[in-house]
Amino acid sequence: MNLEGQLIAQRLRVLELIGEGGMGDVYLGRDETLNRDVALKVIRSEHRVKSGARQRFLREARILSQLDHPNICRIYDYLETTHFDILVLELIRGRPLSSLLDEAMSYAQSLDIAQQIAAALRAAHSQGVSHGDLKPENVMISAEGEVKVLDFGLAQSVNPDRFAPLGKIEALQDVRDLGPLAASSTLSLILSRGDSGGVSSSSSSSSDNRYILGTPRFMSPEQLQGQPATLASDMYSFGLMFYELFTGAPGYPLNLKLPELLERVEQAKVLPIQGIDKDLAELSTGLTQLEADQRPTAGESLRRLRMIHSKPARRFKLAMGILALFIVVGLTLKYFNDIENQRSVAVEALVEAESARTEAEEVVRFLTELLELSDPTSQGRDVTVRQLLDLSAERIDGELAEQPLTQARLMDTIGTIYRQLGLYEPSRDLLQEALDKRLRNLEANHPAIASSHHELGVLARREGRLAEAEESFQKSLNIREALEEGGGEPLAETINALAVLYAVQGRYPEAEESLLRSLEIRRQALGERDPEVAATLHNLGTLLSLMGQPDNAQLRLEESLEIREEQLGLDHPEVASTLYALAGLDRGAGRLDQAERRYRRVLTIQEEAFGPDHPNVAETVNALAVLEAMREQYPEASELFRRSLAMRRQLFGERHPAVAEVLHNLGNIAALEGRTEEAEPLLRQALELFEEHLGEDHPQVGDVLLSLANYARENRTSTEARPLYDRALEIYSEALGADSPQVQTVRSEIEQLSEGITLASGP
């Protein structure tokens, strides 16, 4: 039935037929009420009576209504008439990507298209929606180069309650009857596994048959196995499109018979990619991994593409930064050899701290003389950052005795660097002296005094002195609120720091409220792509993870990582920090191999930046130990835990919460390995330290109580276990809410405990 010329719903004029598909036709239409051209996707009458086809049509409408993104075709309306159903869609004027692939595209054009497809997938995946049939025919490119992803008719949702399932597949086809062209068509197939374990065609109705719906040439291995399309399935399909975008050839050999192609698909035997940028090749290979959990996500793929796109600009930015450093301190390259990188970090941080014009000359003179003294050509030895800092701290009092505020600035900066290097005792001395000098020489509400309180608060939080940290942050906040009147980056900095403290204390609602306030201020003051915005996004993502919201946490952390990699470079310690948090989400979701890859990358960055004995290194070693424990590699886990414990005791002393964390982990390992004489004392020590530093109602106290309850159930009696479970349940419910995963875990343990008691007391 041709609808050209008809008026539908008293406002949609059907102008001409512009496309034909398997289920229906697509017309150019005109919305006469809104005065705009539209695309009208009409389900044919013969398909309308088939519930599966019509159901997919309606699902596409519902899914598109949830996705509002410039790279996804928008839906305007869904109409049901007596004889047909219609999707009223955004009209995309352009060409399908499949036709562009037949032409020679520039590297820049291919990279731009890949980024836009990845952005569309990230938007869909953030709503839990997988496309299910991603291929070049379903991607349109406008004359201006704008990408639009179309046809969500086979889309799936990770939340089965949001959209109805696809329903029964109609019109199954036998692969023996299909030629090479079928590889790029959306097909309904019935497949069975042959005796050899490979894919074979079948027309039988055996229960071993797999019913699949999709496009063989762009299908993921798991879809061919008969599993529903997932977010990772889309990434495999994207990987095959990506391959063609940058090589001009398909990822599988041409002219394969369909059964041969399906065998390759099932084993993910994509042709090796050659002749392109190394980073692009690594991404392409990652996207087409056989194991779904090893493929990059849409957000990660988009970040990596943007990094590849910005490589020349980032190199230029880095070069200009180094040049500016030399100009500021009045030095030439003759003073720098093998220790250039170490020394420039310290000098740049010191110089940046000096913004007051009246003090700048004194600071430059001080630094120049200091570097001349530390020059290995004059001393006959290499000089480390620690030695340079120590020498700086020793000379401040004598060199700048008549400049107390300049002294305070340098002390504050050097103290901050000590803290970042994990050297807390010299940091504390310098930061406190800087505050004392400022209190003696400045008005009580001066911004520099607020800065000193802030830095002392960060140090106190790192050392586990949480009450002191909160007092310092509050003093800084009071000054900055009065000065900034509710806005400005310094205020956002302290609000952010307080939020981190609240999170450590288990005060999650207060932490979330503060982080959202800090994020709003920073975006207004600094812009969307500033590293400080990324810092708040990182903290928010970490908090959401603690609150049992992994999907929301993932989105915030990926946004933070994207900004940090773009602005700071791939090997910056702050990039490592966000990678660490994302690895934790991977670990929690059971993606252990991906988590390990991220942790290893984090460890490499940290050891290069800080050396092997830094607190962050100890934390990552502990995380790798947890990973080995989850794999039930208990000896390896114990070895890593003990390494982390020794590092933390050396850094923080015996009674720090960071020590308690490792003691808790070691206690759990001992219990799992049946070393009961070790397990309980370790867990009790951890509990005592957490209660001492964090309070009796902190979620980490609940964690240890849960471990002790499990230990008591297995090795003592249910009577001893029950009050421990009850107390853990009370802590989790109060701190995290009744619906948190931790609460559900404890309730499940209590139910099992009750069942065991009932059985034991039966006849």
Side-chain angles (χ1 to χ4, degrees), residues 131-330:
H131 186 284
D133 193 24
L134 189 67
K135 57 184 178 181
E137 289 78 7
N138 287 336
V139 176
M140 291 288 289
I141 315 295
S142 74
E144 295 75 27
E146 186 177 30
V147 169
K148 294 283 186 178
V149 177
L150 318 174
D151 199 353
F152 278 77
L154 300 188
Q156 300 278 354
S157 173
V158 295
N159 181 354
D161 296 330
R162 291 189 65 187
F163 308 110
L166 279 173
K168 183 179 178 181
I169 297 172
E170 304 285 349
L172 295 167
Q173 295 164 284
D174 192 319
V175 298
R176 292 172 297 186
D177 302 326
L178 300 174
L181 290 177
S184 297
S185 303
T186 302
L187 303 174
S188 302
L189 302 174
I190 178 171
L191 303 175
S192 66
R193 188 176 299 278
D195 294 337
S196 64
V199 173
S200 65
S201 62
S202 172
S203 58
S204 73
S205 58
S206 165
S207 60
D208 292 333
N209 290 340
R210 283 170 284 154
Y211 301 90
I212 64 172
L213 188 61
T215 303
R217 187 171 139 198
F218 295 96
M219 188 179 292
S220 67
E222 59 270 17
Q223 285 174 278
L224 193 61
Q225 294 287 343
Q227 301 173 26
T230 64
L231 308 186
S233 304
D234 278 353
M235 300 317 297
Y236 188 90
S237 302
F238 175 57
L240 292 169
M241 294 170 59
F242 188 95
Y243 189 106
E244 290 198 40
L245 269 170
F246 291 98
T247 67
Y252 301 115
L254 291 169
N255 299 320
L256 289 176
K257 294 181 180 179
L258 192 56
E260 295 171 330
L261 173 63
L262 295 177
E263 286 187 11
R264 279 187 167 267
V265 172
E266 187 172 36
Q267 299 171 42
K269 285 190 174 180
V270 179
L271 293 170
I273 193 163
Q274 297 175 340
I276 67 170
D277 177 89
K278 174 178 174 290
D279 292 330
L280 284 172
E282 288 180 357
L283 179 55
S284 176
T285 302
L287 287 165
T288 51
Q289 290 292 305
L290 176 62
E291 299 297 329
D293 64 359
Q294 294 184 12
R295 300 169 202 155
T297 64
E300 183 178 351
S301 299
L302 181 58
R303 283 196 311 274
R304 290 169 68 175
L305 286 167
R306 286 175 172 168
M307 287 298 300
I308 292 166
H309 178 76
S310 66
K311 274 196 287 191
R314 286 188 292 109
R315 291 195 188 103
F316 174 77
K317 210 180 291 184
L318 175 62
M320 291 304 295
I322 293 172
L323 177 62
L325 175 63
F326 290 146
I327 293 171
V328 167
V329 298

Side-chain angles (χ1 to χ4, degrees), residues 503 506 508 542-550 585 588 664 698-707 710 724-751:
Y508 296 153
T542 303
L543 176 66
L544 291 169
S545 177
L546 292 171
M547 295 172 70
Q549 300 178 37
L585 291 178
H664 180 200
H698 193 277
Q700 283 189 275
V701 172
D703 294 342
V704 185
L705 287 168
L706 180 57
S707 296
N710 290 335
L724 295 168
Y725 282 129
D726 287 342
R727 187 178 161 205
L729 181 62
E730 182 181 353
I731 291 171
Y732 286 147
S733 298
E734 181 66 26
L736 306 177
D739 297 327
S740 67
Q742 292 89 335
V743 167
Q744 302 309 315
T745 297
V746 178
R747 284 179 174 161
S748 175
E749 297 290 350
I750 291 174
E751 287 175 7

Side-chain angles (χ1 to χ4, degrees), residues 559-604:
E559 189 178 354
S560 173
L561 184 62
E562 179 182 324
I563 297 171
R564 283 178 160 176
E565 287 185 333
E566 173 189 301
Q567 299 293 328
L568 304 174
L570 295 175
D571 297 325
H572 195 279
E574 290 182 15
V575 169
S577 178
T578 305
L579 285 169
Y580 179 92
L582 283 165
L585 291 178
D586 290 332
R587 190 179 68 192
R591 301 186 293 269
L592 302 188
D593 290 343
Q594 183 167 312
E596 182 176 11
R597 286 195 298 273
R598 279 182 162 147
Y599 283 136
R600 295 291 180 190
R601 182 182 165 196
V602 168
L603 198 60
T604 299

Side-chain angles (χ1 to χ4, degrees), residues 501-662:
L501 176 67
Y502 293 152
V504 171
Q505 293 172 320
R507 296 156 62 182
Y508 296 153
E510 292 173 83
E512 184 176 18
E513 181 181 355
S514 295
L515 285 172
L516 290 173
R517 183 184 173 195
S518 174
L519 183 62
E520 181 181 1
I521 294 171
R522 281 182 158 167
R523 280 176 166 163
Q524 290 177 354
L526 306 172
E528 294 282 343
R529 310 297 293 177
D530 191 88
E532 298 304 329
V533 171
T536 305
L537 287 167
H538 168 92
N539 292 336
L540 189 55
T542 303
L543 176 66
L544 291 169
S545 177
L546 292 171
M547 295 172 70
Q549 300 178 37
D551 292 340
N552 291 334
Q554 182 97 17
L555 291 174
R556 295 293 193 174
L557 289 170
E558 286 184 345
E559 189 178 354
S560 173
L561 184 62
E562 179 182 324
I563 297 171
R564 283 178 160 176
E565 287 185 333
E566 173 189 301
Q567 299 293 328
L568 304 174
L570 295 175
D571 297 325
H572 195 279
E574 290 182 15
V575 169
S577 178
T578 305
L579 285 169
Y580 179 92
L582 283 165
L585 291 178
D586 290 332
R587 190 179 68 192
R591 301 186 293 269
L592 302 188
D593 290 343
Q594 183 167 312
E596 182 176 11
R597 286 195 298 273
R598 279 182 162 147
Y599 283 136
R600 295 291 180 190
R601 182 182 165 196
V602 168
L603 198 60
T604 299
I605 295 172
Q606 290 173 339
E607 288 181 334
E608 180 68 24
F610 304 128
D613 300 319
H614 190 270
N616 291 2
V617 174
E619 187 175 355
T620 305
V621 170
N622 185 76
L624 282 166
V626 173
L627 203 64
E628 292 300 327
M630 293 177 69
R631 289 170 167 159
E632 300 184 0
Q633 302 297 314
Y634 299 135
E636 292 84 351
S638 293
E639 182 180 349
L640 288 167
F641 279 135
R642 294 188 188 284
R643 177 186 165 192
S644 178
L645 181 63
M647 294 170 70
R648 290 183 175 192
R649 281 175 166 162
Q650 178 68 29
L651 289 163
F652 305 125
E654 293 284 343
R655 302 198 63 77
H656 192 275
V659 171
E661 180 185 2
V662 188

Side-chain angles (χ1 to χ4, degrees), residues 433-451:
E433 191 170 352
L435 174 61
D436 293 342
K437 288 181 181 295
R438 285 169 169 171
L439 288 171
R440 288 195 296 268
N441 292 277
L442 296 170
E443 295 181 0
N445 63 344
H446 194 280
I449 293 176
S451 177

